[in-house]
Amino acid sequence: MEIVAADLDVATARALLAWQIELGADEAIGEAPVNRYEVPAEVQEPAPAAAVAPVVAAADDPVKAATAAAQAATSLAALAEAQAAYDLCDLKKGARNFVFADGNAQARVMIIGEAPGRDEDIEGRPFVGRAGQLLDRMFAAIGLARGAADAGAALYITNVMPWRPPSNRDPEPAEIAMMLPFLARHVALANPGLIVLMGNVPCAAALGRRGILRLRGQWCEAFGRPAMPMAHPAYLLRNPAAKREAWADLLDIKARLRELP
Ligand code: URA
């Protein structure tokens, strides 16, 4: 069905646009078809082979390129800059914002989530939507907050993916693999005492395993430090009965923090 703009009132047009953005169609395209295979008349001579070779090599191996970029970063600011400049992950093209981290980077607890959703993509900060608000309340219940200045009471929060996947789909294994070197470097530079793996995607990235409902509540090791897999707050919003187990996991984290130096 063709919709003619003149037929729409403002509220309907706005609702249609919001719906399209929610589906991931957030880029305007032209009305006239474009032949992208056509060679423009003023096409340039190809650059000499030696000049293009390194670019081709990096594009051939996105994980190698990510590893080199991440390893070269010696501070969190440099890492954020290097990751934001990484062009080999297609998710970057569809995202509004690069979402790196939030909270106190000195915190003993580092939370690793999955990927930005719509609200995070708009704000450029992780966990700011409904799931993020629940996450804040959950950790407040054990005395931890992302805004805390004291490292002992603070949280540092990031995601496996810094760019929102279209329609909030799960990141693909190849996309996770490209971001893993950045995540490993992120953990090494932030140097938390323990990690919380929020949901399946961080478990897949850090442990090579999925099945959060089986993994949750059991201490494991990720990036060389103690890690607790937990059910994602978005899951808890859909399944309030699972909050009881999440509370047990939070108490376990609180107890473990007492043992940390
Ligand atoms: N879910 C996540 O895993 N991360 C966010 O930043 C938001 C929602």
Side-chain angles (χ1 to χ4, degrees):
M1 180 187 67
E2 195 189 354
I3 297 172
V4 180
D7 294 345
L8 298 178
D9 59 71
V10 172
T12 311
R14 190 183 273 273
L16 277 171
L17 273 175
W19 179 68
Q20 289 186 2
I21 289 169
E22 195 49 44
L23 290 175
D26 50 9
E27 203 172 301
I29 57 168
E31 288 187 357
V34 177
N35 180 359
R36 298 194 188 281
Y37 295 98
E38 193 178 39
V39 180
E42 72 284 11
V43 73
Q44 303 285 316
E45 281 292 300
V52 295
V55 177
V56 173
D60 274 354
D61 195 338
V63 176
K64 238 186 209 166
T67 305
Q71 285 306 318
T74 53
S75 67
L76 288 170
L79 183 70
E81 205 176 311
Q83 194 171 14
Y86 181 83
D87 277 334
L88 303 176
C89 180
D90 279 347
L91 294 183
K92 180 176 178 176
K93 295 182 193 145
R96 281 191 187 82
N97 274 306
F98 169 70
V99 179
F100 185 66
D102 196 22
N104 182 341
Q106 314 293 321
R108 291 189 303 165
V109 178
M110 181 168 182
I111 297 176
I112 303 177
E114 300 189 333
R118 184 172 178 272
D119 297 315
E120 291 75 18
D121 185 39
I122 291 170
E123 249 189 67
R125 287 197 302 136
F127 282 106
V128 292
R130 274 188 76 218
Q133 288 157 19
L134 176 57
L135 178 138
D136 284 341
R137 290 198 299 278
M138 287 161 62
F139 283 88
I142 56 165
L144 302 177
R146 64 174 104 187
D150 168 17
L155 290 173
Y156 185 56
I157 306 176
T158 189
N159 281 314
V160 174
M161 304 303 306
W163 295 291
R164 181 194 184 194
S167 313
N168 297 336
R169 67 155 168 79
D170 273 356
E172 288 168 7
E175 293 162 346
I176 294 176
M178 282 179 223
M179 292 300 109
L180 189 53
F182 290 109
L183 183 61
R185 189 75 183 136
H186 202 156
V187 173
L189 290 169
N191 193 23
L194 68 83
I195 293 173
V196 180
L197 300 168
M198 250 337 156
N200 261 323
V201 174
C203 289
L207 310 174
R209 285 154 75 194
R210 284 181 178 263
I212 188 62
L213 297 182
R214 266 176 289 113
L215 293 169
R216 64 137 287 277
Q218 297 172 51
W219 286 103
C220 51
E221 195 182 287
F223 306 111
R225 27 205 110 211
M228 171 62 85
M230 284 187 70
H232 195 283
Y235 175 82
L236 300 178
L237 286 171
R238 293 192 304 271
N239 300 278
K243 286 184 183 167
R244 177 194 289 261
E245 290 170 345
W247 176 236
D249 301 343
L250 288 167
L251 291 179
D252 227 349
I253 291 168
K254 189 177 178 186
R256 187 81 180 231
L257 280 174
R258 282 195 217 104
E259 293 165 16
L260 285 183

